[in-house]
Amino acid sequence: MLGNIENAILFSQGHRLDFLSNLKEFLKIPSVSTSPQHASDMIRAAQWVSEQLTQMNFSGVQIFSTPRHPIVYGEYLKAGKEKPVVLIYGHYDVQPAEPLELWESEAFDPTQRG
């Protein structure tokens, strides 16, 4: 009988291409937080994260407006009281892509090499 870790490894290996496709979809969003012309992209990135959390059965998924950029919040409380609490704090904004001439491919067109 396989344990939880082994099952997770098998699941991740079996869904590798799906995960990669989702990541590429997210990486295409030019969520440059320092650039006012990308404000709508910041909202689009927040919506993408929110949708992913919802698809993973997180509860209380919300997008909170702030004076600058939205905050995404979600909870997963189904693991059980005996399980540890984990907080994931991450940001979905990126650095400006300039200087563009230094890129081997388009900045927001994910490309695999090697």
Side-chain angles (χ1 to χ4, degrees):
M1 177 179 283
L2 296 176
N4 289 338
I5 293 176
E6 291 88 356
N7 282 331
I9 291 170
L10 288 173
F11 181 84
S12 65
Q13 290 171 341
H15 291 83
R16 180 182 181 279
L17 295 178
D18 295 329
F19 295 146
L20 189 56
S21 176
N22 282 347
L23 177 60
K24 287 179 178 181
E25 178 184 323
F26 187 46
L27 294 175
K28 289 179 181 182
I29 303 172
S31 55
V32 182
S33 62
T34 57
S35 176
Q37 69 252 29
H38 288 288
S40 64
D41 294 315
M42 288 297 300
I43 293 169
R44 192 163 55 120
Q47 291 169 335
W48 190 94
V49 170
S50 174
E51 290 168 8
Q52 295 301 308
L53 293 175
T54 299
Q55 288 177 14
M56 292 187 294
N57 295 317
F58 277 60
S59 60
V61 177
Q62 297 179 56
I63 298 176
F64 293 100
S65 296
T66 73
R68 297 236 6 207
H69 305 299
I71 296 171
V72 181
Y73 175 83
E75 299 176 334
Y76 187 84
L77 303 174
K78 298 176 184 175
K81 291 183 180 183
E82 70 282 355
K83 300 295 181 183
V85 173
V86 177
L87 170 68
I88 299 173
Y89 171 78
H91 47 103
Y92 50 88
D93 62 325
V94 298
Q95 294 294 314
E98 290 80 11
L100 297 176
E101 65 274 5
L102 297 180
W103 287 81
E104 293 180 33
S105 57
E106 295 296 317
F108 295 100
D109 184 17
T111 304
Q112 291 180 255
R113 294 187 186 87

